[in-house]
Amino acid sequence: MSIEQAILQEWIREMLENARQHQRKRVRQPSNEYEGGAVIAYYEMLNSLRNTLEAFGLDLRAYGLDVDLEEELLSLRRVGRRKPLRDVRTVAGAWKEHEEEVRQELFEDLERM
């Protein structure tokens, strides 16, 4: 690996971490325009880098950009969620009432994991 590749990898790693920190703050304070703007700026930079790497046929995984930037940075969900998206009791209770609807939501949640 060249020194240039190592520098680029480290730069991308730092930008992703900074973007995730701003995203966590944005989720806690959705009306904070600064955090929202910072997240969008990081998203634009990282997306541009990802597009450039793809254009040159480079492996996104090697640079840490094999992530869904849109889902991680542009949604208002928590980054690095540890808990399941749905509580089992909640799903089971709603299942009886809206079986088909809940089943579809459950499958969508599982796809996002």
Side-chain angles (χ1 to χ4, degrees):
M1 172 188 321
S2 71
I3 187 72
E4 291 84 5
Q5 286 173 315
I7 290 169
L8 186 56
Q9 286 174 334
E10 180 60 20
W11 184 41
I12 290 170
R13 189 197 63 71
E14 285 181 26
M15 284 200 315
L16 274 170
E17 180 54 35
N18 289 342
R20 289 171 176 146
Q21 285 177 4
H22 285 289
Q23 174 65 350
R24 285 189 289 271
K25 291 177 187 175
R26 178 177 165 240
V27 168
R28 286 192 304 268
Q29 305 169 358
S31 62
N32 186 330
E33 292 179 19
Y34 172 78
E35 297 302 338
V39 169
I40 291 171
Y42 276 110
Y43 167 79
E44 290 295 332
M45 289 186 295
L46 290 164
N47 193 45
S48 179
L49 280 167
R50 179 174 59 187
N51 292 338
T52 302
L53 292 172
E54 284 179 333
F56 281 93
L58 298 172
D59 182 17
L60 296 179
R61 191 174 336 158
Y63 290 90
L65 280 175
D66 59 329
V67 296
D68 185 349
L69 293 173
E70 292 80 10
E71 177 65 21
E72 263 196 62
L73 301 179
L74 299 183
S75 73
L76 280 176
R77 71 171 187 82
R78 287 197 183 278
V79 174
R81 181 190 305 259
R82 299 282 188 243
K83 296 179 182 177
L85 294 173
R86 293 274 193 271
D87 173 5
V88 172
R89 288 188 196 115
T90 304
V91 173
W95 189 273
K96 293 176 185 174
E97 200 171 337
H98 306 283
E99 186 174 336
E100 191 57 42
E101 214 176 297
V102 173
R103 183 178 302 170
Q104 185 60 36
E105 280 185 22
L106 182 60
F107 285 125
E108 289 171 7
D109 288 346
L110 289 172
E111 287 177 15
R112 284 193 294 256
M113 292 172 123

